[in-house]
Amino acid sequence: MEAESKSVEELRRALAESEQRYEELLASVEERVKEIAKAEFRAEMTRISSELAHDLRGPLQIITNSLFLMERKPGDTTYYPKIGEALKQATGLLDGFGEYYRGHEITLMKCNVNRLVEKSFEDIVVPQGVTVSKNFDPTVPDISLDLGKMRRVFTIVLKNAVEAMPGGGSLSVSSRVDGDRVVVQVGDTGGGISEAIRGKVFVAFGAKKRGCCGLGLAAAKRTVEAHGGSIFFETETGKGTTFTITVPIK
Ligand SMILES: Nc1ncnc2c1ncn2[C@@H]1O[C@H](COP(=O)(O)OP(=O)(O)OP(=O)(O)O)[C@@H](O)[C@H]1O
Ligand SMILES: [Mg+2]
């Protein structure tokens, strides 16, 4: 009997020891995962900084050349629009970079997603040839979001949808509740996302339109994921694209 209780005691001690070892191991694994994530972020920032420097060179060179030519022809204003365009491009790049860099820093406030998507429409210009249909579920509950950053997410996706339909088309926006998530979808009838870039649209500078920065969706993904949500798309060449954004209710 005594021998039996001794062995139970030993087993208990062994169990406690292995539990402690397990805790220590878990802590060191978590630490390592954090280190790797930090190292990956640093590597990604290094890549993006050099992309940014490369992309800034273009507009800065245009400004330098234009100023040089203006000095030789005082009073000649023909270079003004070129300089203005180059400045817009450079500013857009710097703003996009800042947005991507700080995409994960969020401050939560209760808000209504339907109203936020409506607000995002104020940030874009919908051309006459594009018809808009909205189908918002009025029962969508208020949820905690970073208002400014999530508004930008919807703006980025809406702007891309409009840009995908230069010859006109239909833009459809909807919201609904799906289990423990609010789901917003933005659909367009544009040309679709070409197969060549489907894997790169969420990568900073991975895919960009002429005159654009290629940072919008990368920043949007960082923000949505910081909310514990997801962003993905379905696309069909020649038919259109639908972006889906989900955000947890709690
Ligand atoms: N609705 C869409 N239809 C077709 N292509 C799209 C759509 N949305 C995104 N894309 C493609 O994904 C790429 C990445 O989009 P993203 O918004 O990140 O960059 P961008 O629009 O080129 O530049 P910016 O940073 O100025 O927004 C676009 O260049 C475009 O090729
Ligand atoms: Mg864009």
Side-chain angles (χ1 to χ4, degrees):
M1 186 70 182
E2 199 180 311
E4 215 172 87
S5 73
K6 196 173 166 212
S7 79
V8 169
E9 198 46 48
E10 272 169 8
L11 275 175
R12 270 212 195 99
R13 220 175 305 126
L15 182 66
E17 265 170 34
S18 63
E19 265 174 0
Q20 182 168 350
R21 243 177 283 145
Y22 168 76
E23 293 292 337
E24 283 166 7
L25 192 66
L26 196 66
S28 85
V29 167
E30 276 170 2
E31 200 49 43
R32 188 81 191 101
V33 166
K34 271 190 211 148
E35 273 171 28
I36 292 168
K38 262 192 225 155
E40 272 175 8
F41 185 67
R42 233 177 290 133
E44 172 69 347
M45 278 304 148
T46 308
R47 178 186 76 79
I48 290 172
S49 305
S50 75
E51 288 274 357
L52 179 71
H54 173 267
D55 282 16
L56 275 175
R57 217 168 289 144
L60 293 184
Q61 195 60 51
I62 290 172
I63 295 169
T64 309
N65 292 349
S66 302
L67 290 177
F68 174 75
L69 292 168
M70 280 167 74
E71 265 170 6
R72 305 181 101 197
K73 282 194 198 169
D76 185 350
T77 58
T78 49
Y79 298 102
Y80 283 16
K82 246 188 173 181
I83 292 177
E85 208 36 59
L87 280 174
K88 206 171 125 197
Q89 171 93 22
T91 315
L93 273 164
L94 291 171
D95 288 349
F97 179 74
E99 198 168 77
Y100 175 72
Y101 187 71
R102 288 188 294 274
H104 63 294
E105 294 168 10
I106 54 171
T107 310
L108 301 178
M109 271 180 82
K110 278 257 175 214
C111 87
N112 182 272
V113 169
N114 297 344
R115 268 206 302 278
L116 201 58
V117 178
E118 282 288 11
K119 281 267 166 211
S120 305
F121 269 94
E122 292 173 16
D123 307 331
I124 62 159
V125 179
V126 180
Q128 272 195 341
V130 173
T131 51
V132 180
S133 65
K134 295 174 186 168
N135 188 8
F136 294 128
D137 176 351
T139 69
V140 160
D142 285 1
I143 52 175
S144 292
L145 296 175
D146 186 305
L147 300 185
K149 292 228 163 91
M150 279 308 289
R151 177 171 170 168
R152 268 299 290 162
V153 167
F154 297 130
T155 302
I156 286 164
V157 174
L158 286 172
K159 189 163 169 277
N160 280 339
V162 167
E163 286 169 352
M165 301 183 285
S170 302
L171 174 66
S172 51
V173 185
S174 68
S175 71
R176 66 185 150 87
V177 176
D178 184 4
D180 59 353
R181 284 171 178 254
V182 171
V183 179
V184 174
Q185 287 192 301
V186 175
D188 66 64
T189 55
I193 301 179
S194 72
E195 262 187 77
I197 63 159
R198 278 179 201 169
K200 302 185 201 164
V201 298
F202 291 116
V203 176
F205 296 115
K208 62 183 153 217
K209 291 180 283 253
R210 212 182 141 72
C212 289
C213 305
L215 286 165
L217 287 176
K221 185 170 157 64
R222 287 196 82 202
T223 296
V224 172
E225 288 180 351
H227 284 83
S230 62
I231 176 167
F232 55 92
F233 64 83
E234 285 160 280
T235 191
E236 206 175 327
T237 308
K239 291 216 164 151
T241 305
T242 299
F243 272 84
T244 303
I245 295 143
T246 79
V247 195
I249 289 170
K250 279 205 178 141

